[in-house]
Amino acid sequence: MIPRLHFAHLPTPVEPMPRLAAELGGRVRLLVKRDDQTGLALGGNKTRKLEFLMAEAQANGAKMLISAGAGQSNHCRQVAAAAAHFGMDCILVLRGNPPEERNANLLLDDLLGAHVVWTGDANLQETLKATYALAQKNGQRPYLIPYGGSNATGALGYAFAFDELCAQGYQPDWIVMASSSGGTQAGLSLAARRAGFRGHVLGISIDHSVADLQKTVAALASDASERLGERIEFLPADIEVNDAFTGGGYGVMGALEVEAIRIFARTEGLLLDPVYTGRAAGGMLTLIRDGFFSRGSEVLFWHTGGTPGLFAEPYAKMLAG
Ligand SMILES: *Cc1c(COP(=O)(O)O)cnc(C)c1O
């Protein structure tokens, strides 16, 4: 038995997106897997990883969670919620300086009782290391949750998520999702391989080159496979990544993301986010229009959450037009 705590709202629904598909000329059939509805403090993909990471933290006798991320990190917001839910303390190391307005995920971090350490101009990893060392020295029994929750343990969340999708009766030709620290794609790719899945698992890169992300995801999938019984060696070439949509870099919302956010909202009543799902969906829309997916294919967009980001600046002002 793989240690796991159960607090996510699972299975998340799979829904058709007929109006969006029609808007795109009916070339493909579209589904969405609603991991924006995983239930932990406004949901998102980190909840699934945390079910396994929290089990490990508890087994280690941890009393505090420490993690790091961008200022508007969805991952950190979910870590803060997991800590609160299990009565643990939480320190979040966030990149940069505190903004004037503590809105969106930052507001939630605060409400959830997390203590935030800003790196200022210092290196994120260095600040994280120092924060962890200090907590340990103070006897606070910290447990370090990796960046994006992406290690072999966290990736298991998405191996089981793939199995969940199969159990719901779906075998899409394509699974498309935002991919950044790689744990989500690694878990899905691993379980897809184990299940003999004939479709594709395509990561739309948020902020890495194809080569870098393929390497990261392959290593994570290989490591995670050991937890499921036997090592499966993934090569970078086994991992399907598209990095054509990284645009102005991490967190820079442009026309691609704005259009995707608007079209999902108006055709399906679905909310995306400015940083991850807006970019991944924008990439998917572009690929559909370019005829990348063969006619009549079933394409499942794996919604990974992030919607609180809609209320962060500068996104909210930009979206308000
Ligand atoms: C973290 C995150 C991702 C990326 O998932 P990885 O496992 O880090 O690749 C995608 N979407 C949202 C909303 C996220 O917060």
Side-chain angles (χ1 to χ4, degrees):
M1 267 298 275
I2 297 169
R4 174 181 188 176
L5 300 177
H6 293 271
F7 50 85
H9 295 184
L10 304 179
T12 57
V14 177
E15 297 166 344
M17 297 194 286
R19 284 165 205 86
L20 178 58
E23 178 87 14
L24 295 164
R27 286 191 190 87
V28 296
R29 289 170 292 146
L30 288 176
L31 299 170
V32 59
K33 175 75 167 154
R34 298 293 306 277
D35 275 12
D36 55 321
Q37 303 291 320
T38 51
L40 182 66
L42 302 181
N45 63 340
K46 305 313 181 302
T47 310
R48 289 189 191 266
K49 302 176 181 187
L50 284 166
E51 287 202 327
F52 294 87
L53 292 162
M54 292 302 293
E56 204 170 273
Q58 284 205 343
N60 290 0
K63 298 267 178 267
M64 170 188 274
L65 300 180
I66 299 184
S67 200
Q72 282 290 345
S73 167
N74 301 303
H75 163 68
C76 287
R77 179 239 317 157
Q78 299 224 286
V79 169
H85 187 71
F86 289 99
M88 301 167 82
D89 295 323
C90 180
I91 300 181
L92 302 174
V93 176
L94 302 183
R95 181 176 283 129
N97 295 298
E100 256 161 57
E101 238 188 294
R102 303 235 170 162
N103 53 21
N105 281 311
L106 273 178
L107 167 65
L108 301 178
D109 294 343
D110 190 50
L111 288 176
L112 294 162
H115 175 72
V116 174
V117 173
W118 291 94
T119 63
D121 297 329
N123 178 279
L124 184 74
Q125 283 309 322
E126 295 297 315
T127 311
L128 180 60
K129 251 198 247 166
T131 304
Y132 183 82
L134 183 64
Q136 211 165 29
K137 192 176 131 220
N138 291 342
Q140 290 168 301
R141 303 176 73 175
Y143 176 82
L144 188 66
I145 302 222
Y147 194 78
S150 285
N151 58 13
T153 304
L156 288 176
Y158 272 87
F160 283 88
F162 181 88
D163 296 345
E164 176 184 301
L165 179 73
C166 294
Q168 288 174 302
Y170 295 95
Q171 292 279 334
D173 300 300
W174 291 85
I175 294 173
V176 179
M177 96 301 306
S179 192
S180 178
S181 69
T184 302
Q185 191 173 5
L188 292 175
S189 302
L190 168 58
R193 170 81 70 89
R194 286 170 52 96
F197 180 58
R198 283 197 302 272
H200 302 260
V201 177
L202 173 64
I204 304 292
S205 176
I206 299 307
D207 52 352
H208 300 290
S209 69
V210 168
D212 284 353
L213 191 52
Q214 282 179 318
K215 208 171 125 197
T216 303
V217 173
L220 281 167
S222 304
D223 289 349
S225 69
E226 291 180 13
R227 310 292 180 90
L228 298 177
E230 80 178 311
R231 186 169 176 93
I232 302 171
E233 203 59 49
F234 282 80
L235 301 174
D238 298 332
I239 306 300
E240 294 186 67
V241 172
N242 185 315
D243 68 355
F245 307 103
T246 53
Y250 182 85
V252 181
M253 183 176 72
L256 179 91
E257 291 84 8
V258 171
E259 197 240 352
I261 290 169
R262 288 197 194 289
I263 194 170
F264 267 67
R266 289 179 186 183
T267 61
E268 295 290 347
L270 279 170
L271 300 175
L272 301 176
D273 85 281
V275 179
Y276 295 96
T277 54
R279 180 162 289 178
M284 183 182 75
L285 297 180
T286 305
L287 293 174
I288 292 170
R289 287 169 177 146
D290 290 351
F292 174 82
F293 306 107
S294 52
R295 194 167 275 279
S297 341
E298 188 169 66
V299 181
L300 180 141
F301 181 71
W302 205 300
H303 194 325
T304 46
T307 43
L310 288 173
F311 305 103
E313 295 305 344
Y315 311 126
K317 273 198 193 78
M318 291 169 72
L319 289 164

